[in-house]
Amino acid sequence: MKRSTLTSGALSVGAFLALALLSPPLQAAEATADAVNAYAIDNFFIFICAVLVLFMQAGFALVETGLNSAKNTVNILFKNLMDLSIGAILFYFVGYGIMYPGEAFSGGFFGFGGFGIGSVAPETAAGNLHPAVDFLFQVAFAATAATIVSGAVAGRMQFKSYLIYSAVISGLVYPISGFWQWGGGWLSALGFHDFAGSLLVHALGGFAGLAGAIVLGPRIGRFNADGTPNAMPGHNLALSTLGVFILLIGWYGFNPGSQLAVVGADNTNAVMLIAANTTLAATAGAVVAMFFAWALFKKPDLTMGLNGMLAGLVAITANCDAVTYDESLIIGAVGGILVVAGIKLLDVLKIDDPVGAWPVHGLNGVWGGVAAWIFGGQPMVAQLVGSIAIPLWGFATMLVLFFILKAMGVLRVSRDDEMKGLDISEHEEEAYYGFQIFTTQ
Amino acid sequence: MKRSTLTSGALSVGAFLALALLSPPLQAAEATADAVNAYAIDNFFIFICAVLVLFMQAGFALVETGLNSAKNTVNILFKNLMDLSIGAILFYFVGYGIMYPGEAFSGGFFGFGGFGIGSVAPETAAGNLHPAVDFLFQVAFAATAATIVSGAVAGRMQFKSYLIYSAVISGLVYPISGFWQWGGGWLSALGFHDFAGSLLVHALGGFAGLAGAIVLGPRIGRFNADGTPNAMPGHNLALSTLGVFILLIGWYGFNPGSQLAVVGADNTNAVMLIAANTTLAATAGAVVAMFFAWALFKKPDLTMGLNGMLAGLVAITANCDAVTYDESLIIGAVGGILVVAGIKLLDVLKIDDPVGAWPVHGLNGVWGGVAAWIFGGQPMVAQLVGSIAIPLWGFATMLVLFFILKAMGVLRVSRDDEMKGLDISEHEEEAYYGFQIFTTQ
Amino acid sequence: MKRSTLTSGALSVGAFLALALLSPPLQAAEATADAVNAYAIDNFFIFICAVLVLFMQAGFALVETGLNSAKNTVNILFKNLMDLSIGAILFYFVGYGIMYPGEAFSGGFFGFGGFGIGSVAPETAAGNLHPAVDFLFQVAFAATAATIVSGAVAGRMQFKSYLIYSAVISGLVYPISGFWQWGGGWLSALGFHDFAGSLLVHALGGFAGLAGAIVLGPRIGRFNADGTPNAMPGHNLALSTLGVFILLIGWYGFNPGSQLAVVGADNTNAVMLIAANTTLAATAGAVVAMFFAWALFKKPDLTMGLNGMLAGLVAITANCDAVTYDESLIIGAVGGILVVAGIKLLDVLKIDDPVGAWPVHGLNGVWGGVAAWIFGGQPMVAQLVGSIAIPLWGFATMLVLFFILKAMGVLRVSRDDEMKGLDISEHEEEAYYGFQIFTTQ
């Protein structure tokens, strides 16, 4: 979402103008009393939405943990904890200043507005956000982009290299492309529309994960010598399902919150429409993915249903403000088909993405950007340019980073360590002590 | 809850009337500025409450999963995911139009207001809800009614038949009886009071589940030849406990949100009273169920404490707006006793309800409706009629549906499939790969 | 947090005064219309914050369960359920009246304002809270203090004695020291500052837990004859990590909600600043604890990262309203070091605190109080007095209680029962039926 500006919603402005016809003392006092309430509501709204988006970190942690084997549980949980923790600190110091450098950099490719975030409250008016809550909302998005990659590189990447990756994407890669659109850079000048980040958050993370999966190579045993894939099922689908439900809940902060204000009839109505559209796309994605996979594989597969819901959520994120209920169902349904097809495509290409991060976030992020043109009435050229530029940026920068880490010999763990599992080899810690059965699956 | 109307809270109306004595331009401008804020607050409030109620889907999934054996985990999780997903889509297409058909059907038994939901925003005023958020709140309730049944039929029902059931209850059965009361039908005309759905949601689901449990018959090994029951303990009480905590949290959307507005002193005060009453009933239910079961069985049993909290929550749902704090404690305490007694009663009757869906939601739903008469000052006849009619409707319609499915031979899985577990037989998918110990418990 | 008063935020008051210059009918009508909105917003805000704090009960349950062995799972979950349930009922009956006895007891050590809570709504104005929602917010804090102890005494305490402890702390010990500060007692008169309860909630619980751990003695096998410690790893770090994420989310109710109002520019700005400070301290705590433990033990340890996040959260709780972003990072970072050092210190002292309740809540609670002096500009003497008095109160009263229970022979389970695990010996209930491997670890 774009950063909030100092203009209030249409109706509030209208009310203010009507008041301007009255006597000055009344006008000032009235605007103030109403504005105080409006300021509280809008900041409270974004605060709660930020909390919901932060909750998505738990969702990602559970989805990824459950879809991987038990022996990598500690490692995955730890990566998620650090995506948020390192991400918040780096985004505070530099990322925020890169993403929102200010007017001077309008239409550009890179800018820097200074270290840290402001602590000075803006004028008390509808739509104005305190810098602290604006930061909180933004940092939750940055952590989301970072954590998407965790699943794609699960089971074989060194922990310390992951921390380096996490710092680079939160502090640099995400804020730069974020600036292109939400900070007022060149994509924004082109007329590109990505309401809540199908591309800026999800496709960026999804394609970064794809780069990681390619450079790392598949887990041992994932593909046979003849190229046929072996399933490596997750160890706890209860955790994964809980994770998807938490992500769904978090998305009600992600999409509706990206309106950045709820006061003013236009804002209120937009937020509510977005919430319903998000729901319809999510549920359509789940249902269609289930039936499509059922038709293909002859059995209803839970993980396909779960990924279908996430696919629908990612796909609606760019355009939820601009489409109808019925179009939301279609966008989600197509997402449900794409995610199943994308998972099979990766098998054919012999790319090992353990949780389907690319089919869910990468492929459907692009679909979301394209759907904003097809259904959302956004300009075709801008949508296509943005839907190519952002994934390319994420993929290319991360490809370079992962190659550097590989060249330094710190990217992948040893064969022995991978077989033992990263919990023991990287952390000397069992996730399920007194419980776990170690295998060399 | 009844659907919101266009009238604002008492105090707002009063303020407006006071303003009407002033000069016309001022009056219009002022009403607008205040109304814009009030409209934002009320819609934001219902939006957040809807999110909390949607979170209950995760709670139900975990409670049911944990209370059943490991071999049916994928199946239960998948059913819950689909209750929400299929439910939302069907409720969007037909359920919403059946439940709220409009004035023309006042006092009737069935009506239809058209497909889909409105996208036109109402007049900007306190208490008015955008159709999108009204739908979101309603659909979360419909999904709750549907998912209650999942637990009662766990471990032996075919997945495809469950999907049919889920579609029928979300799209047809729940909306029809919902219309009777909240849509302005005959029960509403009679003066029945069911504030947030002890009967319309919980008893409906609980008695539908009872019908399912009866027609399906017990799981293999649940009762001995001499009629004595065997416990079939759940495989993960950590998940179940987390599920109950999530349900408690979700109930703060369910009950307080059913006031449908928070602006206006009467609404604000009602919402806060309802929240406290909900808490007191829930905690009284947990404590009393624990001690009651402790006295009966000589050991404090966690699942009884958990079911006691849910029982208290269900029981207070119909009357939380109309009783005192102390009465809430009594209503919850009685709920705690009823749920323990209900579980034993099912054992005596040789009905296998694996999670206690009927004692929690059915029995305590009825108790909630009756308590609205005893403590809440609602008319006796209306309360008794409603507290019989709704459970009967859920039980009878679902009995017919389950018998039809049984006659078609698609209701229950084979003996072999049940022993293997539904995860393998229905989904070819293990919930805990590399972990799970398959038994024929 | 102090209880809300009848004065509204500075700006609202300003608006009201400006209005007072206008004609009387207008003034009354206007104040009312704005006040109705403001009253709704503030009560809605505290309601949502209360729900977030209540969600922390699930977080504590999961953290403690996951960090202990599988054989004590039911016991720990049950204790958490009862901390909330018994706590809410006792706090309703007596705790609330002890904690907020009214003006007559200003500056004192003990007072009692009567049984129960009020149901009469206050004047409709910004900042005024309905007694029901004030109670709900307060009871969630009381339950938090109670439940902290659960982890410290895990694995060896009799269930019925735990219930007695839980009743005493929720109904008596916590409300008494709570009154000293937030109820207007002697600490408040001294000028002590504990914004959201680093001391009143966390250090109280942490030092109460320390008393319990000392009187109970270590679990069998925790220390060798020569005094060297044996690690007794938790059985499910996925649950523990989810628990920490839930606690983080809940803390956004705990700290920002303790402002007790969001309307009025000063309140709005404070809430947002507090939310950002809370985030920065939490993430700094996690990162620093990870690197500090990594340096000490040569491996990155997930439980240290998790405890580091909690340490940062506890440390910022007393002072989040009074420090800058950068100071928040420092306070959290120091918390991350303290928690690792505290865990090692307990090992040296041969005190067995299975989840690190004292390092996290006790030690960092004190640090939070001291940091309010060092960074937050609060008076040194008052901060030091409060940071000693509260922990001492929690430690001394609970030491007495635990000694009495020990003298009565009901404190600790038998050696056999401890080896079997409390789930079987205290509850005759397995947490993971068909799954669990019982060991005598």
Side-chain angles (χ1 to χ4, degrees), chain B residues 9-359:
Chain B
L11 259 170
S12 291
V13 170
F16 187 86
L17 290 179
L19 278 164
L21 305 172
L22 302 170
S23 61
L26 173 64
Q27 162 203 338
E30 283 322 296
T32 303
D34 285 332
V36 166
N37 282 345
Y39 181 64
I41 303 164
D42 275 339
N43 278 269
F44 172 24
F45 172 67
I46 296 303
F47 163 63
I48 289 295
C49 287
V51 171
L52 288 172
V53 179
L54 287 166
F55 196 27
M56 292 174 72
Q57 293 295 315
F60 279 110
L62 294 179
V63 167
E64 294 171 20
T65 298
L67 289 178
N68 279 280
S69 55
K71 66 186 179 181
N72 299 319
T73 297
V74 164
N75 182 256
I76 291 171
L77 296 166
F78 213 165
K79 289 193 300 183
N80 276 273
L81 183 73
M82 284 301 132
D83 282 327
L84 174 60
S85 299
I86 292 179
I89 294 170
L90 279 173
F91 200 76
Y92 168 72
F93 279 121
V94 296
Y96 195 73
I98 291 172
M99 192 151 165
Y100 300 107
E103 292 291 317
F105 300 90
S106 276
F109 282 81
F110 184 82
F112 189 60
F115 298 99
I117 58 177
S119 61
V120 180
E123 198 193 339
T124 302
N128 285 2
L129 298 181
H130 190 285
V133 79
D134 188 53
F135 165 73
L136 198 67
F137 193 64
Q138 303 293 343
V139 84
F141 277 62
T144 300
T147 212
I148 288 168
V149 174
S150 168
V153 302
R156 56 216 198 272
M157 186 169 172
Q158 291 192 24
F159 183 66
K160 62 177 178 289
S161 291
Y162 187 83
L163 297 185
I164 292 168
Y165 143 78
S166 185
V168 171
I169 197 167
S170 302
L172 213 57
V173 172
Y174 169 79
I176 288 174
S177 50
F179 158 67
W180 294 353
Q181 174 66 11
W182 291 337
W186 69 274
L187 267 175
S188 157
L190 198 68
F192 179 57
H193 183 82
D194 184 4
F195 181 69
S198 282
L199 287 148
L200 272 74
V201 178
H202 293 279
L204 184 86
F207 276 86
L210 183 67
I214 290 173
V215 179
L216 273 163
R219 287 166 294 173
I220 298 166
R222 181 67 176 82
F223 294 100
N224 298 319
D226 64 356
T228 52
N230 298 308
M232 297 179 82
H235 81 286
N236 196 328
L237 298 189
L239 292 186
S240 294
T241 305
L242 173 59
V244 169
F245 277 123
I246 290 176
L247 286 172
L248 171 67
I249 293 307
W251 236 287
Y252 290 108
F254 208 93
N255 285 3
S258 290
Q259 182 70 16
L260 292 178
V262 72
V263 173
D266 288 354
N267 287 323
T268 308
N269 295 333
V271 166
M272 304 307 143
L273 184 81
I274 290 163
N277 282 348
T278 300
T279 310
L280 292 169
T283 53
V287 170
V288 169
M290 177 185 74
F291 283 119
F292 184 55
W294 200 340
L296 287 181
F297 314 130
K298 311 300 171 207
K299 287 280 173 183
D301 183 302
L302 174 59
T303 63
M304 292 297 176
L306 296 173
N307 275 329
M309 179 168 277
L310 297 182
L313 286 164
V314 170
I316 200 69
T317 295
N319 48 57
C320 49
D321 63 321
V323 297
T324 65
Y325 304 131
D326 292 330
E327 288 165 350
S328 298
L329 286 169
I330 296 169
I331 291 168
V334 172
I337 288 174
L338 283 177
V339 75
V340 176
I343 289 169
K344 296 328 284 178
L345 178 62
L346 289 180
D347 269 2
V348 171
L349 298 173
K350 291 195 265 303
I351 295 170
D352 181 17
D353 174 359
V355 303
W358 179 77

Side-chain angles (χ1 to χ4, degrees), chain A residues 140-236:
Chain A
F141 277 63
T144 300
T147 213
I148 287 167
V149 173
S150 168
V153 302
R156 57 216 197 272
M157 184 168 174
Q158 291 191 24
F159 184 67
K160 62 177 178 290
S161 292
Y162 187 83
L163 296 185
I164 293 168
Y165 143 78
S166 186
V168 171
I169 198 166
S170 301
L172 214 58
V173 172
Y174 169 80
I176 289 175
S177 51
F179 158 67
W180 295 352
Q181 172 67 11
W182 291 337
W186 69 275
L187 267 176
S188 156
L190 199 69
F192 179 57
H193 182 83
D194 184 5
F195 182 70
S198 282
L199 286 147
L200 271 75
V201 178
H202 293 279
L204 184 86
F207 276 86
L210 182 68
I214 290 172
V215 179
L216 273 163
R219 287 166 294 173
I220 298 165
R222 181 68 175 81
F223 293 100
N224 298 318
D226 63 357
T228 51
N230 298 309
M232 297 179 82
H235 82 286
N236 196 329

Side-chain angles (χ1 to χ4, degrees), chain A residues 23 25-26 29-30 32-34 36-41 43-44 47-48 51-52 54-55 57-58 61-62 65 73-75 77-78 80-82 84-86 88-89 92-93 117-122 124 130-133 135-136 139 159-160 163 236 239 242 246 424-437, chain C residues 11-12 15 18-19 22 26 30 33-35 37-38 41 44-45 48-49 52 55 70 232-239 241-242 244-246 248-249 252-253 256 262-265 268-269 271-273 275-276 279-280 282-284 286-287 290-291 294 299-303 305-306 309 325-326 329 432 435-437 439 441:
Chain A
S23 61
L26 172 63
E30 284 321 296
T32 303
D34 285 331
V36 166
N37 281 346
Y39 181 65
I41 302 164
N43 278 270
F44 172 25
F47 163 63
I48 289 295
V51 170
L52 289 172
L54 287 165
F55 196 28
Q57 294 294 316
L62 295 178
T65 297
T73 297
V74 165
N75 182 256
L77 296 167
F78 213 166
N80 277 272
L81 184 71
M82 285 300 133
L84 175 61
S85 298
I86 292 180
I89 294 171
Y92 168 72
F93 279 121
I117 58 175
S119 61
V120 179
T124 302
H130 190 285
V133 79
F135 165 73
L136 197 68
V139 84
F159 184 67
K160 62 177 178 290
L163 296 185
N236 196 329
L239 292 186
L242 174 58
I246 290 176
I424 294 296
S425 61
E426 292 279 281
H427 307 282
E428 289 183 6
E429 201 169 15
E430 285 181 51
Y432 304 102
Y433 180 79
F435 225 147
Q436 194 164 341
I437 301 149
Chain C
L11 260 171
S12 291
L19 280 164
L22 301 169
L26 173 64
E30 284 322 295
D34 285 331
N37 281 346
I41 302 165
F44 172 24
F45 172 67
I48 290 296
C49 287
L52 288 172
F55 195 28
M232 297 180 82
H235 82 286
N236 196 328
L237 298 189
L239 291 187
T241 305
L242 174 59
V244 169
F245 277 123
I246 290 175
L248 171 68
I249 294 306
Y252 290 108
V262 71
V263 173
T268 308
N269 295 333
V271 166
M272 304 308 143
L273 185 80
T279 310
L280 292 170
T283 53
V287 170
M290 176 184 75
F291 282 120
W294 199 340
K299 286 281 173 184
D301 184 304
L302 174 60
T303 64
L306 296 174
M309 179 168 276
Y325 303 132
D326 292 331
L329 286 170
Y432 305 102
F435 226 142
Q436 194 165 343
I437 301 150
T439 66
Q441 49 179 259

Side-chain angles (χ1 to χ4, degrees), chain C residues 25-374:
Chain C
L26 173 64
Q27 164 202 338
E30 284 322 295
T32 303
D34 285 331
V36 166
N37 281 346
Y39 181 65
I41 302 165
D42 275 339
N43 278 270
F44 172 24
F45 172 67
I46 297 302
F47 163 62
I48 290 296
C49 287
V51 171
L52 288 172
V53 179
L54 286 166
F55 195 28
M56 290 173 73
Q57 293 294 316
F60 279 110
L62 294 179
V63 168
E64 295 170 19
T65 297
L67 289 178
N68 279 280
S69 56
K71 66 185 178 181
N72 299 320
T73 297
V74 164
N75 182 256
I76 291 171
L77 296 166
F78 213 166
K79 290 193 299 182
N80 277 273
L81 184 72
M82 283 302 132
D83 283 328
L84 175 61
S85 299
I86 292 179
I89 294 170
L90 279 172
F91 199 76
Y92 168 72
F93 279 121
V94 295
Y96 194 75
I98 292 173
M99 190 152 166
Y100 300 107
E103 292 291 316
F105 301 90
S106 275
F109 281 81
F110 183 82
F112 188 61
F115 298 99
I117 58 176
S119 62
V120 179
E123 197 192 341
T124 302
N128 286 2
L129 298 181
H130 191 285
V133 79
D134 188 53
F135 165 74
L136 197 66
F137 194 63
Q138 303 292 345
V139 84
F141 277 62
T144 300
T147 212
I148 288 167
V149 175
S150 167
V153 301
R156 55 215 198 273
M157 184 168 174
Q158 290 191 25
F159 184 67
K160 62 177 177 288
S161 293
Y162 187 83
L163 296 185
I164 292 168
Y165 143 78
S166 185
V168 171
I169 198 167
S170 302
L172 214 56
V173 172
Y174 168 81
I176 288 175
S177 52
F179 158 68
W180 295 353
Q181 174 67 11
W182 291 336
W186 70 275
L187 267 176
S188 156
L190 199 68
F192 179 57
H193 182 84
D194 183 6
F195 182 69
S198 282
L199 286 148
L200 272 74
V201 179
H202 294 280
L204 184 86
F207 276 85
L210 183 67
I214 290 172
V215 180
L216 273 163
R219 287 165 294 173
I220 298 166
R222 181 69 176 79
F223 294 100
N224 298 319
D226 64 356
T228 51
N230 298 307
M232 297 180 82
H235 82 286
N236 196 328
L237 298 189
L239 291 187
S240 294
T241 305
L242 174 59
V244 169
F245 277 123
I246 290 175
L247 286 172
L248 171 68
I249 294 306
W251 236 287
Y252 290 108
F254 208 92
N255 285 2
S258 290
Q259 181 70 18
L260 291 179
V262 71
V263 173
D266 289 354
N267 287 324
T268 308
N269 295 333
V271 166
M272 304 308 143
L273 185 80
I274 290 163
N277 283 348
T278 300
T279 310
L280 292 170
T283 53
V287 170
V288 169
M290 176 184 75
F291 282 120
F292 184 55
W294 199 340
L296 287 181
F297 313 130
K298 311 302 172 206
K299 286 281 173 184
D301 184 304
L302 174 60
T303 64
M304 293 297 177
L306 296 174
N307 275 330
M309 179 168 276
L310 297 182
L313 287 165
V314 170
I316 199 71
T317 295
N319 48 58
C320 49
D321 63 322
V323 298
T324 65
Y325 303 132
D326 292 331
E327 288 164 352
S328 298
L329 286 170
I330 295 169
I331 291 168
V334 172
I337 288 173
L338 284 177
V339 74
V340 175
I343 289 169
K344 296 327 286 178
L345 178 63
L346 289 181
D347 269 3
V348 171
L349 297 174
K350 291 195 265 304
I351 296 170
D352 181 19
D353 175 359
V355 304
W358 178 78
V360 169
H361 302 277
L363 190 55
N364 274 290
V366 173
W367 162 233
V370 173
W373 154 49
I374 299 178

